[in-house]
Every structure is written in structure tokens, then in C-alpha cells.
Amino acid sequence: MIDSGFETTSLRMTLLLLVTFQAPAADVDRIMDAVVAIAPLVMGKYDRNAYQSAYGIERYRPLDGAAAGAETELRRRPGTVEVSFELPDDQALAARVAEAIFQAHSYQEPVIRIQPILASRSKGLDDRANPNRWWNTTGDWKKVAASATETA
């Protein structure tokens, strides 16, 4: 069981909660707006930190009592994604975030998972000279993409 973190020279491994939910891609911005209204998802000098998977296919079959009514055929919904983000190890906060996801979600039975993890947090050391950092290699991916679009 994960019960404590550890440190290295450059980072801290901190006990956090990993929140994951599945939703149609079109719903994600609305759901995430509800989440960040409660928890800004700060990581170092960045906020609204989350990961969204590529489109997948959700598979399910409605049973008696489902809003769609019972069906015999398996449904396959394309365009579903998985989103994950980290929260402090705080059950009351996690409960508020889970409720916000549920309320903003379009499904009758949203898939929401919360699990304890160790996650890295930079100690904020001066690593401007690190040859592997983006500013010393390709530069900011967003600015590179924008200038490629402008020259096209």
C-alpha cells in the first residue's frame, strides 16, 4: 500500500489521488470546467493539468431500469475518451470533485475512478542548462506549431 512519498535530488514523489473518468469527447470541457471550479489542478507553475486519451469505443448494454430501456444488442459508442488528473490526498475534496463530474456528465452511470498514487513534483531547481528540456531542444511545441501554420 502506498502510504508515503520520497525525494530525489530533483523531485518529490508525493501521495496524491488519481481521478479518472470516461466521457464523450464533446462533454470533456464542460466536465473539466466543473472540476477546476472546485480544484484548480495546479502542478508547479501550471494549472488545469489533466490528460485526455485518444478516442476510443465505449461498449455497454442497457439493462432494465436504464434511461435508454433494456436492449438486447451491445452498444458501441465511438468518440469516448478517458481523462485523468491528480488531487491532493483529501477525501472530502475527492468527494466534491466526484460529485461535480457526476453532475456535469451526460451519462446515467458515469465511470469515475479514484486511486492513491505516488506522483512526481519538481523541486523547481534551476535546470535552464539541461540539454533535454524543451527550451533547449525543439522549443515550445505550441509556438513551433503556430509558426509552421503561419508559413504554410
Side-chain angles (χ1 to χ4, degrees), residues 14-129:
T14 304
L15 183 59
L16 298 171
L17 298 176
L18 178 65
V19 178
T20 305
F21 67 87
Q22 297 170 359
D27 291 357
V28 171
D29 286 341
R30 179 181 69 248
I31 295 169
M32 290 304 295
D33 285 345
V35 168
V36 298
I38 297 166
L41 306 180
V42 173
M43 183 184 292
K45 297 181 186 329
Y46 301 86
D47 69 357
R48 298 183 72 102
N49 285 280
Y51 173 79
Q52 180 175 323
S53 72
Y55 288 3
I57 298 173
E58 186 174 28
R59 302 164 49 96
Y60 62 96
R61 185 177 67 166
L63 300 174
D64 284 333
E71 296 180 10
T72 57
E73 297 294 317
L74 181 69
R75 286 188 176 198
R76 291 172 180 83
R77 182 174 186 157
T80 301
V81 297
E82 190 165 84
V83 176
S84 60
F85 55 87
E86 299 161 2
L87 292 176
D89 185 19
D90 177 335
Q91 188 169 348
L93 176 62
R96 290 177 48 220
V97 167
E99 182 66 19
I101 293 169
F102 186 89
Q103 292 300 324
H105 207 292
S106 61
Y107 289 1
Q108 181 178 10
E109 191 68 46
V111 174
I112 304 169
R113 295 184 189 98
I114 300 176
Q115 57 192 9
I117 60 167
L118 286 179
S120 63
R121 291 297 182 264
S122 169
K123 288 184 175 178
L125 304 176
D126 181 1
D127 63 348
R128 287 178 285 188

